[in-house]
Amino acid sequence: MAARQIALEPYNPAWTAQFVAEEKRVREALGDVALAVHHIGSTSVPGLTAKPVIDMLVEVSSLKALDALNSAMQALGYTPRGEYGIPGRRYFIKGEAVRTHHLHAFVAASEQVTRHLAFRDYLRRHDDAAREYAQIKFAAARDSGFQSDLYSQLKNDFIARVEQQALAQR
């Protein structure tokens, strides 16, 4: 299987509406298991260049209860990927060749939830960090040959540094 190609786009205000529409579908599919659904990732930061893929973070009551709803998520077009490299996570993708959504689920109020929301909120509050992130994303896209896996790796140092700053301010 060939590596997925990434494309960066200027911020699109429609991303928020896309999140809201998908949030409603996910909440209906997951019922009481979904305690909160958050828009995360670059599409959740106004003005930030991003891959046009809506990242969602779902806080769940339990991973076991979520696992029991894999068929409900598949009915929405999601492919369950299990932990996918992060212990305590359930990861789902929507769309194969052309991704539209990534869904990351963690038990409510876990360290992973705190980390993701702190990073998002920091970028929303600090335009300088968001601008630096955009520059890093463009360089990572170019330097990775627009290959998704390497692109993600090339952003890791920036993400780790800003995440530490964000958590220190919480």
Side-chain angles (χ1 to χ4, degrees):
M1 183 167 125
R4 224 168 21 89
Q5 293 278 304
I6 59 119
L8 296 174
E9 296 181 6
Y11 178 77
N12 183 342
W15 290 335
T16 299
Q18 291 169 6
F19 162 76
V20 170
E22 194 68 10
E23 174 193 18
K24 183 175 191 258
R25 288 189 283 273
V26 167
R27 282 184 179 277
E28 288 171 0
L30 298 181
D32 293 342
V33 173
L35 303 177
V37 181
H38 307 278
H39 188 185
I40 62 168
S42 295
T43 62
S44 73
V45 180
L48 185 57
T49 296
K51 293 182 301 180
V53 178
I54 307 301
D55 281 294
M56 303 173 70
L57 187 153
V58 180
E59 294 186 71
V60 297
S61 56
S62 91
L63 294 177
K64 185 176 181 181
L66 176 61
D67 290 342
L69 294 169
N70 275 347
S71 60
M73 293 301 291
Q74 288 169 320
L76 288 181
Y78 284 90
T79 302
R81 291 278 183 94
E83 288 187 331
Y84 206 69
I86 299 178
R89 169 175 78 164
R90 293 299 181 269
Y91 179 60
F92 299 82
I93 60 168
K94 190 171 188 178
E96 284 294 331
V98 178
R99 294 272 170 86
T100 60
H101 297 79
H102 292 155
L103 191 145
H104 312 262
F106 298 97
V107 171
S110 71
E111 181 181 321
Q112 293 284 359
V113 170
T114 301
R115 184 178 68 77
H116 278 90
L117 296 179
F119 181 74
R120 177 201 66 191
D121 294 347
Y122 188 91
L123 290 178
R124 286 178 171 177
R125 288 190 317 270
H126 295 87
D127 291 342
D128 56 332
R131 280 192 301 275
E132 181 183 357
Y133 192 31
Q135 292 171 344
I136 286 167
K137 288 159 68 103
F138 282 120
R142 178 195 65 228
D143 295 348
S144 70
F146 300 91
Q147 300 299 306
S148 184
D149 291 344
L150 182 56
Y151 167 78
S152 295
Q153 291 172 18
L154 293 173
K155 299 183 307 173
N156 284 344
D157 288 346
F158 173 85
I159 292 169
R161 177 173 52 84
V162 169
E163 195 174 273
Q164 284 206 313
Q165 293 169 345
L167 290 169
Q169 288 185 6
R170 270 184 103 85

